Amino acid sequence: GENVEQHPSTLSVQEGDSAVIKCTYSDSASNYFPWYKQELGKGPQLIIDIRSNVGEKKDQRIAVTLNKTAKHFSLHITETQPEDSAVYFCAAKSVLVFGKGTRLSVIA
Amino acid sequence: KAGVTQTPRYLIKTRGQQVTLSCSPISGHRSVSWYQQTPGQGLQFLFEYFSETQRNKGNFPGRFSGRQFSNSRSEMNVSTLELGDSALYLCASSLQKGIGRSYEQYFGPGTRLTVT
């Protein structure tokens, strides 16, 4: 089955800096890669996703890149703000297999 | 459009009891998936229902079961509760119309189950 590895597990950045979270997956048949943001006491919220026929997708300060050959995809957050502080999860495939999560802390 | 709702939000049970959790998907969504979230194991897939049929099942014991009703609402049941079942149980709905096509999943706020 699919296995998703996510790094780093924790990440601290200064406000205004960029944050990058990386995930690798094992099943070359996976074709859908969403990213979720989970704030304390809430369920995961879909923030961006990418399908296997696209290499990059952007939505304002958030971007995701996909390298199918290397089987890894990354989340990029630019100009980070304190409200970006949360746990971020990557996932692969339709029956979602999640990474362990990255706790992002943005220091004002 | 209302989001995914889950009831109850919090639940405390004792070992050996059983529990039923409820999920109402986004209107029009026919696929409902359940996940267990714990600090140690992260988010793990339990099962997925589509049009009242279980389509996929994760690696959990038979004590975990679910069902989906004709209005797409879903319930999951855990029997003979164990301490290790304490977790946040998340439900996600999607528009998914057929097997093999991945659609966005939208999560509810979860039910926090504590087993004492």
Side-chain angles (χ1 to χ4, degrees):
Chain A
E2 178 65 275
N3 183 48
V4 178
E5 300 280 343
Q6 183 172 346
H7 300 279
S9 57
T10 59
L11 179 60
S12 291
V13 299
Q14 292 292 134
E15 183 179 358
D17 286 352
S18 295
V20 181
I21 304 170
K22 298 182 179 181
C23 288
T24 60
Y25 61 99
S26 61
D27 188 352
S28 55
S30 289
N31 58 4
Y32 177 64
F33 309 92
W35 285 90
Y36 286 85
K37 174 183 180 183
Q38 187 173 26
E39 296 173 293
L40 203 60
K42 297 183 179 180
Q45 176 191 6
L46 178 68
I47 56 172
I48 195 167
D49 58 14
I50 192 167
R51 300 182 193 275
S52 57
N53 59 346
V54 175
E56 183 176 1
K57 183 176 178 181
K58 292 182 74 172
D59 183 3
Q60 298 182 359
R61 296 188 295 109
I62 295 173
V64 58
T65 59
L66 171 65
N67 183 327
K68 285 171 57 181
T69 305
K71 288 190 282 188
H72 67 71
F73 55 113
S74 301
L75 177 72
H76 304 252
I77 306 174
T78 58
E79 300 172 26
T80 54
Q81 300 166 7
E83 52 265 39
D84 294 330
S85 296
V87 179
Y88 291 81
F89 292 94
C90 63
K93 215 173 172 182
S94 58
V95 174
L96 295 179
V97 177
F98 284 85
K100 292 291 188 184
T102 296
R103 182 172 299 281
L104 172 64
S105 299
V106 179
I107 305 160
Chain B
K1 204 180 242 188
V4 178
T5 57
Q6 292 187 245
T7 56
R9 291 292 312 276
Y10 303 91
L11 205 49
I12 300 175
K13 291 283 188 180
T14 55
R15 276 183 300 174
Q17 288 186 313
Q18 75 159 14
V19 66
T20 299
L21 311 181
S22 181
C23 170
S24 293
I26 292 170
S27 178
H29 285 196
R30 295 167 63 191
S31 169
V32 173
S33 299
W34 288 89
Y35 296 85
Q36 182 195 65
Q37 185 176 30
T38 59
Q41 299 299 318
L43 274 155
Q44 292 187 288
F45 171 74
L46 280 156
F47 27 65
E48 180 204 4
Y49 286 87
F50 180 80
S51 292
E52 301 178 67
T53 302
Q54 187 181 86
R55 196 159 60 176
N56 287 293
K57 190 177 190 307
N59 190 25
F60 278 81
R63 300 185 296 107
F64 292 81
S65 63
R67 59 178 175 167
Q68 186 180 34
F69 302 95
S70 58
N71 61 358
S72 294
R73 190 177 70 85
S74 177
E75 289 181 348
M76 68 161 280
N77 184 277
V78 188
S79 62
T80 320
L81 284 166
E82 299 177 1
L83 294 178
D85 296 333
S86 295
L88 180 68
Y89 289 87
L90 291 157
C91 163
S93 78
S94 74
L95 196 55
Q96 199 163 14
K97 293 181 178 178
I99 296 172
R101 184 68 194 273
S102 302
Y103 283 84
E104 298 86 350
Q105 291 194 11
Y106 298 90
F107 283 83
T111 294
R112 183 161 297 282
L113 171 65
T114 302
V115 182
T116 61

